[in-house]
Amino acid sequence: MQHATVVLWAGEPAAAYPLVVLAVLAVVAAVEPRIVPRDRWLVVLRSGLVRRVLATGVSVRIPLLESYVWIARGRTRRPLTVTARTGDGTEVRVAAETIIEVVDPLAAIQLSLTPVDLALDETERALRQLIARHDVVSLAALRTCTVPVDVPGVVIGELELGKVELELTPQAIRSVADQTK
C-alpha cells in the first residue's frame, strides 16, 4: 500500500513568516476594530438593523455584513437659519440656536442614521410654522421659544432666537407701521 504525501510548503520555514504576518494583518484590517471614546456611542448595524450599541470599549465587526454609525453623546449646540414668511406676508430670515442631545441611541437610530441632523431638520420645520403664526413685530420681540418637535431618543432644548432679518419692501414697511399704531 502506497501513501501519497502532499507538500504544502517546499521552501524554508522562515520564508513563510512574512506571509503569516500579512495574513494576520489582513484579518485584523477586515474586522476593523474600533475603540469607542466616552463622548460617543457606536451603533453596529447588520443589514440596516441595529445589532448592538456600545458606550465604551473595543468593538469588532463582521466584514461585509456589519457597518458602524457614530453618534455624539451629550449635549451639542447647533445653529440654524430659517427663511420663511410671517403671518402678515413679510419674508424674514431668522438665526437661532438650540441644544440637541441623544438620550437613547437605540430609539434615535430607528428613524435616521443621523438622528441629530433629523432633529435639527424637524426643529427648522417647526420654526417655519412658528414664524408663519407671528407678525414681524412680535417675532422680533421673541428671544426664546419652545417648538413642538418629537424625535424618538432625542431631546431638543429651547430655541434661542438671534437675528431677525427682513428686506425693506413697501409691504414690510406698511406691515410694521400698521402694527405700531
Side-chain angles (χ1 to χ4, degrees), residues 21-150:
V21 169
L22 284 175
V24 168
L25 288 175
V27 168
V28 168
V31 296
E32 200 177 342
R34 295 282 190 233
I35 298 173
V36 183
R38 289 184 187 156
D39 66 336
R40 299 191 177 258
W41 276 302
L42 178 66
V43 179
V44 181
L45 303 169
R46 185 181 297 171
S47 300
L49 301 173
V50 176
R51 186 75 175 148
R52 60 190 176 275
V53 177
L54 298 167
T56 57
V58 177
S59 174
V60 293
R61 69 180 180 98
I62 299 171
L64 304 174
L65 292 179
E66 293 180 334
S67 60
Y68 292 136
V69 174
W70 294 96
I71 298 178
R73 275 175 111 168
R75 302 170 141 217
T76 57
R77 182 172 289 276
R78 300 296 295 259
L80 56 133
T81 304
V82 173
T83 302
R85 291 202 179 276
T86 61
D88 56 4
T90 305
E91 187 172 304
V92 296
R93 186 176 313 118
V94 178
E97 278 190 343
T98 190
I99 294 176
I100 299 175
E101 180 179 11
V102 176
V103 292
D104 182 3
L106 191 58
I109 203 80
Q110 298 301 325
L111 291 178
S112 171
L113 293 179
T114 55
V116 173
D117 292 339
L118 175 64
L120 193 61
D121 290 345
E122 290 297 311
T123 303
E124 288 177 355
R125 182 192 53 74
L127 182 56
R128 278 189 193 90
Q129 292 174 352
L130 177 82
I131 291 169
R133 289 191 305 266
H134 282 80
D135 55 34
V136 175
V137 174
S138 65
L139 185 64
L142 280 177
R143 289 293 150 227
T144 61
C145 64
T146 304
V147 291
V149 176
D150 184 30

